[in-house]
Amino acid sequence: MTKTDEFKEMDQTDKQGVPREIIFSKIERLVREMQHPMTGVPVRSQKLFLTYIPSVFMGFDLVDWLMSRLNIKHLAEAIHLANLICQHGYFYPVNDTKLTLKDDGTLYRFQEQCFWPSYNQPDDIHYAIFLVKRTLRNKQKHGLEDHEQETLARLKKVLSQKWEYICKQAEEQVHLMNERKKSEKSILDSQEKAYWRVHRPPPGIVSCFERGPLANKKTEKNKNKQDLKKQTEFLQQYIYRPRTKLHQVVESLIHQCELYAEFDPFVTDVQPTNPWISDDNTFWALNSDFVEIPTEKRLRRWGISLEELLTDPMGVLEFEKYLRKEYSHENMCFWKIVQSLKRGSQAAVTNRINKIYEKYLAPGAPCEVNLDSKTLEVTYNLMKSPSRYTFDAAQEHVFLLMKKDTYRRFLKSDHYRNLLSNTQQIDQKRKFFSFGVSTRKKVVPSAGMGNRRNSGCHRTSSNVDITLNALQLSDDHPFTGKHSQSTSDLQDMQKNLALNRLSSPSESQNLVNNVGHDALSVSRMGYLSSSLDGTNRNITLTVPQPTKNLVAPWETEN
């Protein structure tokens, strides 16, 4: 049903001139779907204690139908909606006086349309006829309760002038009721009792039809037509305003926080360093608008949504490259040129609009964009009074086309995967930003070293350092046993050597160079081995013996 049909239903009035509330229209439309013989709630006759109860349904059948029809995920929400419909009198329990729905095998029956609240407005005369009619029937089955007897006595005093008419109407209805079949009589009797249970509930039970206090008539007279029009417009907008449930808002916020947490420099650790905390601007350099190879985190952010991709200039560039390979870049070009239309001088807007139309929207244009007829009609009407926002409807349509088709293919394409693979290699090479992590370096065998695996020489990047320290070690400078790459040992030993033997920095540098040269010559002849125990630390120089398989390079002809 469209909004115009709903407005028509709102404007409808019953025979007594009472306006029909919109809540009745919505509930009745749903109840009619429930009563559909094929797709509605299953209604059947039920056997209970050797008696057949006609035209009833069970509570859990109604709850299941509501959850499947309205896509309700929570059981409590479906039960709450069913209770509201029951309290308005559209169905009622057969063997219970409480207007509540239970998610079990309790039997319920749909109310006839003549008893729906939108079709009939109750008054005291009808209620008095109903009470008098029950006094004329079997007292054991249709006897009045205490509060009903008090209400009947009060109505008899209030309606004393019409009491004779009320008694005649009650007698005629009892006579017509006796002529009906037993099953029809029981159904009509239960429906009438349920109707008055809704509109005249017992004391202590709140009815959903209770009205608040009436507004002051003086304030109503002061309002003019314009005020009333504004009030009606506000109420109509308020009725059709979309309402989001609280748990949906909370779930969406949690999802957004989890999705964007790793991209927030204030929440997560930023590599190489956080520029908001330190003075290092390397992070800004790696994430500038246009770089040679973007980072992995930047590419993964493109995969969140098309909006994130289009906010990054590098993402727009790569996305356009992919679209040119697919021969579908006209949508992206149109989106970009409409974005640029929103900036610039106002005097050139009309000329730019005509150029955009001739290139992208005119019949037979060189880069014609695929738009539907409705969007084209809206765009043509807006071009009569051109502005910066003339092509907004067309731009939105093109954006949806890219979001549903080309953007998804871009995320699955080889172009995007190649970008991800390249950034992964770069991120592995940038581990030098993580200070304090020790790594082994691969050393290319130099001339004269031979095959070190056969000779038993296991040399790493610290061989020259160990050899240099071995030549200069003495009792005053014991070996600490740490790896040669430890900067603390090298600094301490070099400082002590400079203080004991040297007097100037230039002499210190010459000595270090000479010692390094001697260490390299020693490493060509043999290798150093250190034997470390708990107390003594000795370093010995071992010269390997020539073997049959080992031949020195200087002993060969080449």
Side-chain angles (χ1 to χ4, degrees):
M1 180 179 290
T2 61
K3 290 185 177 180
T4 56
D5 296 335
E6 292 182 359
F7 278 118
K8 289 179 182 179
E9 288 189 0
M10 289 175 58
D11 296 333
Q12 288 179 357
T13 56
D14 58 5
K15 295 180 180 179
Q16 297 179 0
V18 179
R20 184 177 184 180
E21 298 183 8
I22 190 171
I23 187 173
F24 296 151
S25 302
K26 293 183 177 181
I27 295 177
E28 289 168 8
R29 186 167 62 251
L30 186 63
V31 171
R32 287 190 182 96
E33 293 183 9
M34 292 181 187
Q35 293 178 340
H36 194 275
M38 301 299 294
T39 60
V41 181
V43 178
R44 53 188 176 271
S45 298
Q46 188 72 23
K47 185 177 181 181
L48 184 65
F49 298 111
L50 301 178
T51 58
Y52 283 94
I53 302 177
S55 303
V56 293
F57 61 92
M58 296 185 181
F60 55 79
D61 290 335
L62 179 64
V63 173
D64 293 342
W65 188 89
L66 286 174
M67 294 181 71
S68 61
R69 172 64 180 82
L70 303 178
N71 295 326
I72 300 175
K73 297 180 180 179
H74 300 282
L75 179 63
E77 186 177 351
I79 295 175
H80 177 68
L81 178 60
N83 282 324
L84 289 177
I85 299 173
C86 182
Q87 290 171 6
H88 280 81
Y90 289 94
F91 65 87
Y92 59 92
V94 176
N95 297 322
D96 194 0
T97 57
K98 295 182 180 180
L99 297 173
T100 56
L101 183 128
K102 300 177 182 179
D103 188 21
D104 53 13
T106 306
L107 300 179
Y108 298 87
R109 180 180 288 127
F110 285 110
Q111 186 67 278
E112 287 291 335
Q113 291 189 7
C114 60
F115 292 112
W116 285 1
S118 61
Y119 285 80
N120 190 6
Q121 297 295 328
D123 55 4
D124 292 340
I125 296 176
H126 292 91
Y127 189 50
I129 293 172
F130 169 72
L131 295 177
V132 173
K133 185 170 58 175
R134 289 177 58 184
T135 58
L136 299 176
R137 301 179 66 183
N138 188 0
K139 294 183 179 181
Q140 294 182 354
K141 188 175 182 181
H142 303 283
L144 299 179
E145 298 180 2
D146 295 337
H147 68 91
E148 291 176 340
Q149 292 178 0
E150 295 176 1
T151 304
L152 180 61
R154 180 178 59 83
L155 292 175
K156 189 174 183 180
K157 294 180 181 179
V158 174
L159 303 174
S160 58
Q161 297 178 355
K162 300 180 180 180
W163 197 251
E164 184 178 358
Y165 166 78
I166 291 171
C167 293
K168 289 183 179 179
Q169 289 289 330
E171 291 175 358
E172 291 179 0
Q173 292 184 12
V174 170
H175 179 69
L176 294 174
M177 183 71 71
N178 293 330
E179 294 179 357
R180 293 178 179 269
K181 296 181 180 179
K182 185 177 180 180
S183 59
E184 295 179 358
K185 190 188 301 184
S186 62
I187 292 174
L188 184 59
D189 185 53
S190 64
Q191 289 176 344
E192 193 174 7
K193 287 182 179 179
Y195 173 79
W196 290 112
R197 199 183 309 153
V198 171
H199 294 279
R200 295 291 188 273
I205 298 177
V206 180
S207 175
C208 60
F209 294 99
E210 290 185 359
R211 304 297 180 186
L214 297 176
N216 191 0
K217 294 183 179 180
K218 294 181 180 180
T219 58
E220 293 291 337
K221 291 181 180 179
N222 294 331
K223 291 184 178 181
N224 52 19
K225 293 182 179 180
Q226 295 181 354
D227 295 335
L228 293 174
K229 287 181 179 179
K230 291 181 179 179
Q231 186 177 2
T232 53
E233 290 176 359
F234 172 77
L235 293 175
Q236 289 177 358
Q237 292 177 1
Y238 182 79
I239 288 171
Y240 296 106
R241 185 179 299 170
R243 290 168 177 79
T244 307
K245 298 177 182 177
L246 182 60
H247 69 90
Q248 295 178 353
V249 175
V250 174
E251 289 176 359
S252 63
L253 288 176
I254 293 174
H255 177 68
Q256 292 293 329
C257 291
E258 294 176 352
L259 193 62
Y260 288 94
E262 61 174 330
F263 305 106
D264 192 348
F266 290 99
V267 178
T268 57
D269 295 333
V270 177
Q271 296 296 332
T273 54
N274 194 337
W276 297 101
I277 300 174
S278 64
D279 295 332
D280 189 6
N281 294 329
T282 309
F283 179 79
W284 300 128
L286 294 176
N287 293 276
S288 59
D289 290 345
F290 297 99
V291 293
E292 184 178 357
I293 300 178
T295 59
E296 180 187 0
K297 185 178 289 187
R298 187 174 180 178
L299 281 173
R300 284 192 283 105
R301 187 162 184 169
W302 297 353
I304 295 177
S305 63
L306 181 58
E307 291 84 353
E308 291 292 335
L309 176 66
L310 296 179
T311 52
D312 190 352
M314 192 72 185
V316 174
L317 180 63
E318 296 295 338
F319 187 49
E320 189 174 356
K321 286 181 182 179
Y322 168 74
L323 292 179
R324 288 186 181 277
K325 294 179 183 179
E326 297 288 329
Y327 301 101
S328 59
H329 63 283
E330 63 276 356
N331 289 337
M332 191 65 203
C333 295
F334 177 75
W335 185 88
K336 287 172 61 179
I337 198 169
V338 173
Q339 285 292 108
S340 65
L341 181 64
K342 298 175 183 178
R343 300 180 295 272
S345 62
Q346 182 65 28
V349 168
T350 305
N351 189 18
R352 294 171 67 182
I353 287 175
N354 294 330
K355 290 182 179 180
I356 293 172
Y357 173 76
E358 293 174 358
K359 186 175 180 180
Y360 295 99
L361 299 179
C367 298
E368 188 175 358
V369 178
N370 186 13
L371 297 178
D372 57 351
S373 59
K374 185 178 180 180
T375 308
L376 281 173
E377 184 179 356
V378 172
T379 306
Y380 293 155
N381 294 331
L382 292 175
M383 287 184 66
K384 296 178 182 178
S385 57
S387 66
R388 297 183 186 273
Y389 310 101
T390 301
F391 298 111
D392 279 1
Q395 187 188 26
E396 184 179 359
H397 182 78
V398 168
F399 178 83
L400 293 175
L401 289 178
M402 292 192 298
K403 185 176 182 180
K404 294 179 180 179
D405 184 21
T406 54
Y407 172 68
R408 295 178 181 177
R409 288 192 283 112
F410 170 72
L411 297 179
K412 298 177 182 179
S413 64
D414 295 336
H415 183 81
Y416 184 68
R417 292 176 182 174
N418 292 334
L419 290 174
L420 284 175
S421 62
N422 292 334
T423 53
Q424 289 173 1
Q425 295 175 2
I426 290 176
D427 289 341
Q428 290 175 1
K429 291 179 181 179
R430 293 188 182 277
K431 287 185 177 179
F432 66 89
F433 291 113
S434 301
F435 298 104
V437 180
S438 60
T439 57
R440 288 185 176 270
K441 299 179 181 178
K442 295 182 180 180
V443 179
V444 180
S446 59
M449 291 301 293
N451 190 351
R452 287 189 293 275
R453 291 187 178 181
N454 295 333
S455 62
C457 176
H458 178 69
R459 178 177 174 177
T460 62
S461 62
S462 61
N463 292 118
V464 177
D465 297 333
I466 293 176
T467 308
L468 187 147
N469 294 331
L471 294 175
Q472 301 295 339
L473 279 177
S474 62
D475 296 336
D476 298 334
H477 306 286
F479 185 66
T480 59
K482 296 181 180 179
H483 195 273
S484 62
Q485 286 183 345
S486 177
T487 57
S488 61
D489 289 342
L490 290 177
Q491 291 175 359
D492 294 338
M493 287 185 287
Q494 290 177 3
K495 184 178 180 181
N496 294 330
L497 288 172
L499 291 174
N500 293 334
R501 298 184 180 183
L502 303 176
S503 59
S504 63
S506 60
E507 295 178 358
S508 174
Q509 184 65 32
N510 294 332
L511 180 58
V512 171
N513 294 333
N514 295 331
V515 171
H517 177 72
D518 296 337
L520 289 173
S521 62
V522 171
S523 64
R524 291 192 183 96
M525 297 172 61
Y527 64 92
L528 290 171
S529 64
S530 61
S531 61
L532 306 177
D533 54 10
T535 56
N536 300 325
R537 297 178 177 86
N538 300 323
I539 298 177
T540 60
L541 179 63
T542 305
V543 179
Q545 299 295 331
T547 58
K548 295 179 180 180
N549 297 329
L550 180 60
V551 180
W554 56 80
E555 295 179 359
T556 61
E557 294 180 358
N558 295 327

